């Protein structure tokens, strides 16, 4: 069997439905192999858009999204989206074409060492130089991309290798069981919780993966411990829950920080340091921390857990709930209720009044009233992202998507395309600033061609507003941020 056909069979074995990308001469064989398969190739208008589509597909499904490019500039155009997926813990497999084996050892037209380019932005990447390793390489790329913590992997396919023959067969995916939590760690965590007067949960990106949110919701509602979410942990517990203190990580002091200051124990669930550094919420390095995650804690001065429960997050919460149930432990909920009331009252205070000009938090109040609990808001990056994290209550896991590991502009519009392909009946709103919109506005043609349906809202201030705001805070003025724009309504 020809290698390009075998790769496509491997993709089918992995359950891949779409490959997002741009065509190119060096991937011609792979494109024609895709044409006759159950995997649909989606031509996009820019490789970055393709990578963001794969990124959001992976984040919403937990199964690797796939993007494809040719060699050289096609591959380098994937870099931002692949880096975003890797830092946002979204499973993605990128496939790039390459020059033939007969010319990659020397200077050659459009040839770059893409494997080394991608090395710092992927969990694993390689080139296929032997047709008999194809099946192992593809299976390994998907296994690593989807394993906790998920991220991006990359496969490089030289054009002459794509034409070669192989007698191998695709390798079936096998479910890998993650370890149960250590009993000693559970016992130590329960002892710390029993001693705490004002514990607080900090839920991160890992709290919404692998069904962890269901166990987290049960844990929170049983013990009435307040919970704050990072930008990418939003919706792990509904913000309508009486225990939810909404979102932390706004870059400035907010009401939720009052609860953090008062808390005598922080229970972190699936917390990613890349999203929000612990310096901001543990500046004095005096918080007692219990770390619950799929991976051990990073070595970090401001994040030194007293106990680490390193296992499947859902299983850890299930067992922690059982252990606590065998004690007489009870937690006072009165201390954080006034803080929660101030948070919710502040959000409502931005309701637009008759005749008042539109502003971001006012628009978000309207959107929240119109959108259902299971609808999806996708935020691009800019000053509006801060308002969305702060003022758009999330009610379901992956009900509000924000890029916050790499925090890359241009994420929302391509992401909405992938989300609509995944669930055509889900109501989707993509919110972005004028800067972020024009980074990938060309993908509107892709959306129209595919017939996907979603709403785009552009917050237009003719400025790189977040940078301008931060410059104003530090310097009292801004520079290099002003823009002009087309008439977006036309």
């Amino acid at each position: 069997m020809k290698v390009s056909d075998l790769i496509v069979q491997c993709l089918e074995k992995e359950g891949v439905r779409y490959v997002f990308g741009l065509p190119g001469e060096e991937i011609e064989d792979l494109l024609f192999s895709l044409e006759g398969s159950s995997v649909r190739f989606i031509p996009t208008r820019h490789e970055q858009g393709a990578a963001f589509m794969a990124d959001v597909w992976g984040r919403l499904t937990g199964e690797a999204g796939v993007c494809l490019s040719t060699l050289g500039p096609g591959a380098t155009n994937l870099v931002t989206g692949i880096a975003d997926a890797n830092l946002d813990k979204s499973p993605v497999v990128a496939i790039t074409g390459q020059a033939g084996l007969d010319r990659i050892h020397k200077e050659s037209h459009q040839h770059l060492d893409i494997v080394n380019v991608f090395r710092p932005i992927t969990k694993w990447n390689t080139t296929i130089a032997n047709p008999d390793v194809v099946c192992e390489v593809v299976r390994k790329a998907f296994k690593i991309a989807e394993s906790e913590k998920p991220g991006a992997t990359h496969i490089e396919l030289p054009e002459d290798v794509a034409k070669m023959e192989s007698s191998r067969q695709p390798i079936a995916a096998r479910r890998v069981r993650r370890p149960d939590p250590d009993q000693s760690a559970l016992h130590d965590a329960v002892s710390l919780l029993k001693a705490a007067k004002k514990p607080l949960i900090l839920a991160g990106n890992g709290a919404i993966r692998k069904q962890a949110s269901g166990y987290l919701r049960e844990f929170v509602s049983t013990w009435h411990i307040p919970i704050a979410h990072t930008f990418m942990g939003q919706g792990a517990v509904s913000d309508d829950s009486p225990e939810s203190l909404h979102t932390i990580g706004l870059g400035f002091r907010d009401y939720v920080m009052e609860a953090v200051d008062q808390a005598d124990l922080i229970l972190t669930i699936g917390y990613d340091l890349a999203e929000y550094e612990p310096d901001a919420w543990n500046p004095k390095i005096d918080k007692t921390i219990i770390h619950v995650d799929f991976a051990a804690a990073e070595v970090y001065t401001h994040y030194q857990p007293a106990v680490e429960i390193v296992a499947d997050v859902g299983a850890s919460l299930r067992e922690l709930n059982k252990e606590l149930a065998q004690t007489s432990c009870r937690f006072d909920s009165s201390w954080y209720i006034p803080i929660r009331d101030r948070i919710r009252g502040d959000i409502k205070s931005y309701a637009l009044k008759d005749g008042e000009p539109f502003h971001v938090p006012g628009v978000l109040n309207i959107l929240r009233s119109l959108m259902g609990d299971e609808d999806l808001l996708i935020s691009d990056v800019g000053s509006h992202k801060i308002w969305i994290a702060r003022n758009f209550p999330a009610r379901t896991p992956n009900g509000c998507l924000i890029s916050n590991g790499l925090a890359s502009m241009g994420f929302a519009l391509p992401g909405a395309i992938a989300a609509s392909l995944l669930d055509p009946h889900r109501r989707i709103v993509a919110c972005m600033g004028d800067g972020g919109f024009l980074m990938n506005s060309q993908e509107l043609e892709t959306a129209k061609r595919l017939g996907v349906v979603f709403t785009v809202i552009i917050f237009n201030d003719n400025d790189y507003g977040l940078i301008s705001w931060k410059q104003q805070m530090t310097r009292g003025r801004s520079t290099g941020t002003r823009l002009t724009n087309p008439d977006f309504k036309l």
Side-chain angles (χ1 to χ4, degrees), residues 291-355:
H291 170 93
V292 179
D293 201 7
F294 298 99
E298 173 69 276
V299 176
Y300 201 116
T301 300
H302 291 79
Y303 190 75
Q304 300 181 37
V307 177
E308 296 189 39
I309 303 176
V310 181
D312 180 88
V313 170
S316 298
L317 288 166
R318 181 192 67 218
E319 295 306 311
L320 199 56
N321 203 27
K322 288 181 181 177
E323 294 282 336
L324 275 174
Q326 295 175 20
T327 73
S328 58
C329 192
R330 293 291 180 270
F331 298 103
D332 176 24
S333 61
S334 63
W335 70 275
Y336 61 85
I337 295 301
I339 299 172
R340 172 176 161 76
D341 289 344
R342 285 198 296 278
I343 291 170
R344 294 176 67 81
D346 186 74
I347 292 171
K348 291 178 182 177
S349 74
Y350 288 96
L352 286 165
K353 301 175 179 61
D354 289 343

Side-chain angles (χ1 to χ4, degrees), residues 185-186 188-190 192-193 196 198-204 207 215-216 219-220 223 225-230 260 263-271 281 287-293 303 305-309 313 316-317 320-321 324 331:
L186 285 170
D188 292 344
V190 168
L192 288 175
L193 282 164
K198 296 180 178 181
L200 182 143
I201 296 169
L202 174 55
Y215 290 106
L216 180 57
F219 185 83
V220 167
W223 302 104
I225 299 174
I227 180 168
H229 305 82
T230 66
V260 175
D264 56 2
L265 182 145
I266 307 292
L267 175 60
T268 64
I269 309 293
Y271 167 62
W281 56 268
K287 296 295 184 186
T288 299
I289 299 170
I290 299 174
H291 170 93
V292 179
D293 201 7
Y303 190 75
V307 177
E308 296 189 39
I309 303 176
V313 170
S316 298
L317 288 166
L320 199 56
N321 203 27
L324 275 174
F331 298 103

